[in-house]
């Protein structure tokens, strides 16, 4: 009897250890794919590395970083952007940006729970409309022609959020 109990306890320990390891692993996996600002999963074609007030974040798209900079009154500098058509990493200063198109890259159902635990539609979405990067002006123009939005270079794209900084 005592032996049976200890066998069961051992089995339970193995199961718990397995769950702990699996939990750690999935936490680790998530942390690499989630936006450092809005916590939603990063679309591999729209991910951006940005410095907001000098602090580096992996964010879901340039728009999310710009919104954060505007809300926190901090300057935004892009370190690396992703080509929306190929998923390749691009130097932000050589990329072209489409801002305000109809495309939403972040997985988001536009709902959230309020304090009463009721589902609420959000009127404001920090990542919408998204800002997407392209390797060439032609590709950015073609995307904007199909999906709407304005084609901007890096300087123009960040002009709003960094305007206060430039004046100081
Ligand atoms: Zn985000």
């Amino acid at each position: 009897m005592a032996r049976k109990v200890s066998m069961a306890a051992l089995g339970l320990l193995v199961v718990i250890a397995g769950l702990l390891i699996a939990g750690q692993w999935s936490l680790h996996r998530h942390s690499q794919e989630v936006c450092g600002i809005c916590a939603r999963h990063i679309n591999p074609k729209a991910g951006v590395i940005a410095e907001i007030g000098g602090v580096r974040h992996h964010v879901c798209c340039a728009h999310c970083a710009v919104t954060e900079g505007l809300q926190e009154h901090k300057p935004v500098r892009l370190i690396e952007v992703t080509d929306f058509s190929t998923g390749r990493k691009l130097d932000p200063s050589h990329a072209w940006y489409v801002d305000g198109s109809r495309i939403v890259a972040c997985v988001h159902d536009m709902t959230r729970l309020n304090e009463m635990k009721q589902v609420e539609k959000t009127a404001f979405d920090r990542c919408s409309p998204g800002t997407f990067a392209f390797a060439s002006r032609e590709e950015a123009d073609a995307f904007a022609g199909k999906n709407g939005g304005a084609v901007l270079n890096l300087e123009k794209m960040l002009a709003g959020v960094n305007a206060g900084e430039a004046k100081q």
Side-chain angles (χ1 to χ4, degrees), residues 2-3 12 19 21 39 48-49 72 108 112 117 122 144 152 160:
R3 203 177 155 157
L12 197 66
L19 283 175
I21 291 164
V48 167
I49 297 171
E72 299 290 315
H108 187 35
R112 67 189 179 98
K117 299 270 183 286
T122 46
L152 306 166

Side-chain angles (χ1 to χ4, degrees), residues 84 98-103 132 134 139-150:
F84 194 69
V98 177
D99 187 31
S101 73
R102 289 182 291 271
I103 302 296
F132 307 119
F134 294 89
E139 278 182 275
D141 279 337
F143 180 86
K146 225 185 340 175
N147 305 299

Side-chain angles (χ1 to χ4, degrees), residues 35 37-40 59-61 64 106 126-127:
C35 175
I37 295 167
C38 70
R40 69 186 70 164
V59 295
C60 55
C61 83
C64 191
C106 301
R126 62 180 306 116
C127 303

